[in-house]
Amino acid sequence: MQTLNEIPFSKAVKIASIDDKELAGILFPMGCLVGETIEKIQSAPMGDPIMCRVGDHFISIRKSDAQHILVTDKN
Amino acid sequence: MKKEKTYQERTVYLVGNPNTGKTSLFNQLTGLNQRVGNFPGITVEKKTGSFISPTGKKINIIDLPGVYSLDSQSADEKLAADYIKKSKDEIILIVTDATNLKRNLVLATQIMDLKKTIVIAVNMMDLLQKANMDIDFGKLSKLLGVPIIPVNARIGKGIDELKYALANHDISASKSFLGEHSKHPLMDENLLRYNKIDSIIKQTVHKKGENKLALQTLRFDKWITHKYFGFLIFLSIMFMIFQAIFSWSAYPMEWIETVFLQLSETIQTKLPQGTFTDLLSNGIIPGISGVAVFIPQIALLFFFITILEDSGYLARVSYIMDRLLRPFGLNGKSIIPMLSSTACAVPSIMGTRIISNKKERLITILVLPLISCSARIPVYTLLIAFAIPADMSLGPFNMQGVVLMSLYLISFISALLVAYVLKFLVKTNEKSRFVIEIPIYRIPRIKSVLLTMYQKVRIFMVDAGKIILAISIVLWALSSYGPADKMQKIEEKYRSDAVKQQFSEKEIAQLIQTEKLENSYAGILGKTIEPMIKPLGYDWKIGIALISSFAAREVFVGTMSTLYSIGDENEVKLIEKLREAKNPVTGKPVYTFAVAISLLLFYVFALQCMATLAIVKKETGSWKWPIVQVLYMGALAYGSAYLAYHLLS
């Protein structure tokens, strides 16, 4: 399984799990539900944090947190 | 008796995720019938309002802070969760975003599991079409077992139906959403909840095509948060705002100033002479006008900040600034309180509650008062207008505006540098995080922007007005009275025949006034600290102004107005009085360019605000940090003012 950091920009994938319990507790109510589509859109001017599209909505997280989001291919 | 009350009155807690239009809905439900205060014991802003239903029931609405979930860790969210958990006879009105139901139902179903009386408002119905979605509300309501009212809070659609539901829905516990399974550990419960929500969404929400809102946001963000242009756009927006604040406010400020001058004059000529008339025309009116003059600038500042927030841009500013702020021990989220600190540090210090990391939050709190707030605007405006000619320009820009912008830049840069130092002094082992929702772009509604602006200006004016009124009365008394024997000696001195031959009656009156002011209690106070502030180029009159503005900075202008109107029959504008002020010993002007710049820098750095000290004590839980702030900011102020005065004169 790959982490979100390893996925190129503009490629939609699915959230498989979040392996940091505290982070999962923050991201889950913000719509990062298991099975939801996630796509890296762009990075901030200095390369970090990144902006992601989750479903039809947008969140921003740091790369250090993105490495705890495990993803699988969309189908 | 009590039963009757519950029949005629009801309380509703308004809860919901951030960015669901909760505030607009609150405004629609309550109109102007609302009050802003604090939750008891803590400093989270508490908005309450009410409406009367057609059947005569009074429905009170309490707006709780926006939350994503009931298990959240930040102080704001804990408060909302506590209120919800403790509710009994209250209705929980959950506001959700029609285009984002899946996520919003996480919070809604968590509250259902607490078995509370629930009404769900599905807001932003106007966006459904653009999002290419349909919602089967009947089915949704049936599956969840709670009343669901679709609304559009922006134009007030569905509000009557919502009001009806709030007035008539029976107070009874909702059925639990997870039921039996809810006693699992956190992750399992989340998964279970997600699966259930997902199946409900699949049955009730139908996607008809591409979500145009998301596409539109993507298109805008290609440029607005661009890797290279992002900073440039941010700086340009800030620069334009400051230019606008300075130039748009010029005329209304003149009008207000003229009105107050005329009022003062009318009172002096129409009312019988005496202590009361003197107190009014030389104490209270100049004191109040000194601040009232700045209503236009403060209003404009709040106006622009509200627009930035409502349009969705502020969240993006956090996003582009996070990496830049991190080396300074701050967080991308720190930029929002930092920007709103240009209006007032007090609500911004409360606003740091969105930063969950304790170290980052403490550092943000400690440097926030460095950011130039609107209370400094009166001081800046007066001194800039004094030191920089109005027709001077730098390229296409008005020089006064450029100087104002530079003062703000100095304040931001110094905040960063101090934060950098603090990073090594404050210890923590908590992990630093930055997780933030980026809302879609929306055109701010002018009505709600104006309402927010009106509320903030009113709070500011009432709070500041109370202090200023009190201080201008005290100051008037201190500068009108002094030790009785000394005052008598002055009278006697000028009553001698030798003096009478030398000067005209009018000149004598003037001399008596001046000497009386010097020997008044205020004069004595100012003279006592004069040796300390002399190295900065200040005289004892500025000393009095400095002492009085330790309560609040904007008092400076009021104090100067009061001090310079004592013993002066001619009502001229303060700035002209300052130009005329001469040192009685050397005969040279008191207010030189060097003194003006030295004073400007003093006010950039010094922490002269009781309200800030009180709020920092409350938020950090001890007097240690406010004392640290007063000391380090005082040292910066004194040092920079000293340097500026000696380099420039």
Side-chain angles (χ1 to χ4, degrees):
Chain A
M1 220 180 296
Q2 285 175 298
T3 73
L4 188 59
N5 272 338
E6 295 161 282
I7 304 295
F9 284 91
S10 306
K11 187 190 171 190
V13 288
K14 268 188 175 184
I15 299 174
S17 69
I18 298 170
D19 70 4
D20 174 328
K21 207 168 176 180
E22 199 190 305
L23 183 68
I26 298 170
L27 286 177
F28 175 71
M30 289 179 82
C32 294
L33 313 165
V34 172
E36 188 64 87
T37 319
I38 190 165
E39 176 190 338
K40 294 202 295 190
I41 302 297
Q42 53 165 243
S43 66
M46 293 164 87
D48 194 31
I50 52 173
M51 196 191 281
C52 302
R53 176 176 176 169
V54 179
D56 279 333
H57 297 269
F58 301 89
I59 61 161
S60 170
I61 51 174
R62 288 180 182 165
K63 284 177 176 170
S64 56
D65 283 332
Q67 76 179 23
H68 294 288
I69 302 177
L70 302 176
V71 296
T72 55
D73 273 348
K74 227 182 149 187
N75 297 306
Chain B
M1 188 71 193
K2 200 167 179 251
K3 221 170 193 174
E4 202 177 283
K5 198 181 162 224
T6 48
Y7 175 65
Q8 288 171 334
E9 258 187 69
R10 262 184 181 189
T11 300
V12 172
Y13 290 157
L14 187 60
V15 301
N17 283 183
N19 304 311
T20 50
K22 200 158 67 70
T23 307
S24 311
L25 186 63
F26 180 75
N27 289 341
Q28 285 288 358
L29 285 172
T30 61
L32 277 173
N33 196 7
Q34 43 179 277
R35 281 181 306 127
V36 184
N38 284 335
F39 283 103
I42 43 168
T43 49
V44 178
E45 194 179 82
K46 178 187 187 182
K47 271 203 209 163
T48 53
S50 62
F51 68 88
I52 308 284
S53 78
T55 51
K57 271 188 208 168
K58 187 179 180 213
I59 316 290
N60 299 306
I61 301 184
I62 298 177
D63 189 17
L64 298 181
V67 287
Y68 286 107
S69 116
L70 289 182
D71 329 304
S72 299
Q73 289 306 303
S74 88
D76 256 20
E77 299 182 288
K78 269 190 191 142
L79 170 93
D82 279 351
Y83 262 76
I84 295 165
K85 282 172 189 159
K86 280 187 200 138
S87 71
K88 250 190 188 153
D89 299 330
E90 294 86 357
I91 295 180
I92 313 284
L93 172 58
I94 305 169
V95 192
T96 57
D97 170 358
T99 69
N100 206 355
L101 268 187
K102 200 200 271 182
R103 184 190 80 191
N104 288 188
L105 285 184
V106 173
L107 175 70
T109 60
Q110 278 180 340
I111 298 173
M112 282 173 66
D113 283 338
L114 296 174
K115 300 186 178 160
K116 302 295 181 188
T117 312
I118 294 174
V119 172
I120 294 181
V122 178
N123 193 12
M124 309 208 177
M125 287 301 293
D126 51 323
L127 295 182
L128 269 188
Q129 205 184 351
K130 268 195 167 175
N132 257 322
M133 282 166 150
D134 263 338
I135 301 174
D136 183 344
F137 286 105
K139 199 165 187 186
L140 187 60
S141 176
K142 220 170 168 184
L143 287 171
L144 288 173
V146 295
I148 293 183
I149 321 286
V151 295
N152 175 1
R154 275 163 88 91
I155 58 167
K157 219 173 159 185
I159 296 300
D160 287 340
E161 289 85 342
L162 182 59
K163 281 184 174 176
Y164 181 84
L166 292 177
N168 298 301
H169 183 53
D170 289 333
I171 304 285
S172 63
S174 69
K175 67 171 192 189
S176 168
F177 181 70
L178 289 182
E180 295 288 291
H181 309 285
S182 59
K183 284 181 181 72
H184 284 270
L186 186 71
M187 275 306 278
D188 291 339
E189 188 192 305
N190 282 349
L191 265 179
L192 202 70
R193 191 179 298 284
Y194 167 75
N195 287 335
K196 256 191 125 169
I197 291 174
D198 198 41
S199 98
I200 289 178
I201 292 292
K202 279 197 177 117
Q203 293 175 66
T204 53
V205 178
H206 307 289
K207 286 195 178 183
K208 298 184 294 185
E210 192 77 68
N211 186 327
K212 284 188 194 135
L213 290 170
L215 288 181
Q216 192 184 47
T217 294
L218 277 174
R219 231 182 6 251
F220 279 132
D221 273 336
K222 220 171 205 164
W223 295 104
I224 296 177
T225 54
H226 185 271
K227 251 185 149 89
Y228 309 112
F229 300 126
F231 282 137
L232 210 67
I233 291 173
F234 172 57
L235 284 178
S236 315
I237 290 176
M238 284 298 130
F239 189 75
M240 283 190 300
I241 288 177
F242 286 120
Q243 282 285 324
I245 287 175
F246 225 73
S247 51
W248 293 0
S249 58
Y251 287 108
M253 285 172 75
E254 276 232 30
W255 301 332
I256 297 175
E257 202 163 26
T258 316
V259 166
F260 273 100
L261 278 182
Q262 271 166 1
L263 189 67
S264 224
E265 232 171 56
T266 317
I267 285 175
Q268 236 167 10
T269 50
K270 293 277 157 68
L271 286 184
Q273 282 212 346
T275 315
F276 180 68
T277 308
D278 194 42
L279 170 64
L280 265 183
S281 65
N282 289 333
I284 294 176
I285 292 177
I288 295 288
S289 101
V291 183
V293 154
F294 301 97
I295 292 177
Q297 290 198 333
I298 290 163
L300 279 171
L301 191 64
F302 280 122
F303 175 76
F304 286 118
I305 286 181
T306 313
I307 286 187
L308 289 187
E309 187 166 10
D310 287 3
S311 65
Y313 184 65
L314 267 193
R316 273 128 181 126
V317 175
S318 295
Y319 159 72
I320 62 171
M321 297 298 281
D322 179 59
R323 183 66 190 81
L324 190 78
L325 293 175
R326 226 182 293 163
F328 297 100
L330 299 168
N331 186 295
K333 287 181 182 172
S334 308
I335 195 73
I336 298 176
M338 281 169 91
L339 285 182
S340 60
S341 226
T342 56
C344 180
V346 175
S348 325
I349 287 168
M350 297 179 211
T352 59
R353 284 164 173 263
I354 55 169
I355 305 166
S356 52
N357 181 289
K358 286 199 186 75
K359 177 178 174 176
E360 289 171 343
R361 176 160 177 242
L362 179 61
I363 295 179
T364 310
I365 289 177
L366 290 179
V367 301
L368 274 184
L370 276 174
I371 309 279
S372 286
C373 62
S374 50
R376 274 131 157 155
I377 292 179
V379 187
Y380 289 173
T381 315
L382 177 70
L383 293 171
I384 289 176
F386 177 82
I388 315 284
D391 50 10
M392 204 168 157
S393 59
L394 187 77
F397 303 112
N398 176 299
M399 191 62 189
Q400 293 187 337
V402 173
V403 172
L404 183 70
M405 177 86 184
S406 327
L407 290 176
Y408 278 87
L409 271 182
I410 292 175
S411 76
F412 267 95
I413 292 167
S414 58
L416 287 183
L417 294 179
V418 171
Y420 185 75
V421 175
L422 288 171
K423 187 176 93 167
F424 297 101
L425 301 177
V426 182
K427 297 271 174 266
T428 185
N429 40 22
E430 226 180 314
K431 195 174 181 323
S432 162
R433 276 188 206 289
F434 177 78
V435 180
I436 191 171
E437 183 184 353
I438 308 280
I440 59 162
Y441 284 108
R442 300 210 73 182
I443 297 170
R445 290 268 323 294
I446 195 73
K447 204 174 137 195
S448 72
V449 171
L450 291 179
L451 184 66
T452 313
M453 183 181 93
Y454 163 76
Q455 284 170 341
K456 298 227 157 136
V457 170
R458 201 185 61 174
I459 294 172
F460 183 84
M461 289 314 293
V462 169
D463 286 358
K466 270 187 273 183
I467 300 175
I468 287 153
L469 190 65
I471 288 184
S472 53
I473 293 172
V474 170
L475 207 70
W476 169 84
L478 284 178
S479 46
S480 299
Y481 300 98
D485 55 325
K486 267 201 171 168
M487 289 289 161
Q488 208 165 357
K489 268 185 198 152
I490 295 169
E491 293 267 359
E492 280 165 14
K493 186 172 135 195
Y494 286 100
R495 230 177 273 144
S496 75
D497 287 338
V499 181
K500 274 185 181 164
Q501 276 168 2
Q502 220 179 332
F503 299 102
S504 75
E505 197 123 324
K506 214 175 169 190
E507 279 171 317
I508 292 178
Q510 189 80 41
L511 284 170
I512 291 180
Q513 289 288 5
T514 313
E515 202 160 324
K516 268 191 172 171
L517 176 61
E518 240 183 295
N519 287 289
S520 67
Y521 293 114
I524 294 167
L525 212 60
K527 294 237 156 156
T528 315
I529 69 158
E530 200 176 25
M532 264 169 66
I533 55 172
K534 216 166 189 173
L536 310 182
Y538 310 158
D539 70 349
W540 56 275
K541 276 190 178 176
I542 301 179
I544 299 172
L546 283 184
I547 292 176
S548 65
S549 59
F550 263 96
R553 299 170 178 98
E554 62 274 27
V555 175
F556 176 83
V557 181
T559 306
M560 296 298 266
S561 312
T562 308
L563 286 178
Y564 280 95
S565 58
I566 301 255
D568 194 344
E569 301 287 296
N570 311 317
E571 298 294 341
V572 290
K573 286 184 180 168
L574 177 59
I575 192 154
E576 274 134 46
K577 287 184 189 164
L578 294 186
R579 282 194 213 285
E580 284 162 16
K582 299 261 190 313
N583 182 322
V585 184
T586 60
K588 285 183 186 154
V590 178
Y591 299 90
T592 59
F593 180 72
V595 170
I597 300 297
S598 158
L599 261 178
L600 272 176
L601 286 172
F602 191 90
Y603 274 86
V604 166
F605 291 116
L607 177 50
Q608 301 152 293
C609 179
M610 303 277 219
T612 301
L613 291 178
I615 213 89
V616 172
K617 196 252 160 189
K618 233 174 184 178
E619 293 289 316
T620 60
S622 85
W623 278 109
K624 177 181 164 191
W625 296 113
I627 290 170
V628 166
Q629 269 177 317
V630 170
L631 293 180
Y632 95 77
M633 289 176 70
L636 279 178
Y638 196 91
S640 58
Y642 180 85
L643 277 179
Y645 178 64
H646 285 273
L647 290 177
L648 292 173
S649 55

